[in-house]
Amino acid sequence: MERRRPIGFWLKLLDGLIDQRLDATLSRWSLDRRQWQVINLLNDSPRSKEEVVAALEPFGRQTVEVALADLTASGLVAATDGRLRLTTTGENVLGEAHAGVNENRQRIADGIEADDYLRTIETLRRMAMNLGWRDPDDQP
């Protein structure tokens, strides 16, 4: 009988591989994952430091503050009137990095039919909900 690995094995393996690939991709622009999240957030609109920290709170206040300090020191983020925003350099880096990240996302789905991919995402979402997670997007 074929040995089957449980879903936890595959989830942890895939998560680790995604992390490795993302880290390698972002390193081309001297970014880490937290910095990537910050510049994406600031790309939506300028925000106060507290708004950025609150939005990324699950990753730890200190980690987010360090990311902000590094991004400011590197000239990718600047503060104007108490609001953080991407600089022109930051916007350029974000655009370039987006292309690399999108390549990674496409590679993950190589050889997988669109319907199968969507079904997998929905299955994982349902499993998370079965274990008590509530999708904030489902709230009225």
Side-chain angles (χ1 to χ4, degrees):
M1 184 165 127
E2 183 179 331
R3 182 178 151 215
R4 303 250 181 215
R5 291 188 168 99
I7 193 164
F9 169 86
W10 294 112
L11 291 173
K12 287 181 181 184
L13 176 65
L14 184 58
D15 183 56
L17 293 170
I18 290 170
D19 283 350
Q20 287 173 11
R21 176 76 55 170
L22 182 60
D23 289 345
T25 298
L26 294 177
S27 71
R28 291 184 232 159
W29 295 277
S30 300
L31 295 172
D32 63 26
R33 178 174 281 203
R34 206 63 58 231
Q35 293 167 339
W36 169 248
Q37 290 170 318
V38 169
I39 64 174
N40 270 286
L41 187 66
L42 293 176
N43 188 52
D44 293 338
S45 65
R47 298 169 193 253
S48 70
K49 178 180 176 181
E50 285 309 311
E51 289 171 325
V52 172
V53 170
L56 300 174
E57 186 70 36
F59 304 108
R61 179 178 193 87
Q62 184 176 4
T63 303
V64 176
E65 288 178 350
V66 168
L68 279 169
D70 291 345
L71 290 167
T72 301
S74 68
L76 301 181
V77 170
T80 306
D81 298 326
R83 310 285 289 168
L84 298 167
R85 61 169 180 76
L86 290 181
T87 63
T88 301
T89 302
E91 290 171 353
N92 292 336
V93 166
L94 178 65
E96 293 171 13
H98 259 297
V101 169
N102 286 337
E103 286 176 26
N104 287 345
R105 291 177 180 155
Q106 289 175 347
R107 185 166 184 184
I108 289 169
D110 277 352
I112 300 170
E113 294 293 328
D115 287 347
D116 290 339
Y117 183 85
L118 292 173
R119 189 172 13 268
T120 300
I121 297 300
E122 183 54 32
T123 300
L124 293 170
R125 179 181 174 277
R126 170 52 53 195
M127 287 177 172
M129 291 177 73
N130 288 346
L131 295 174
W133 179 73
R134 295 294 168 247
D135 191 337
D137 294 336
D138 287 346
Q139 303 304 317

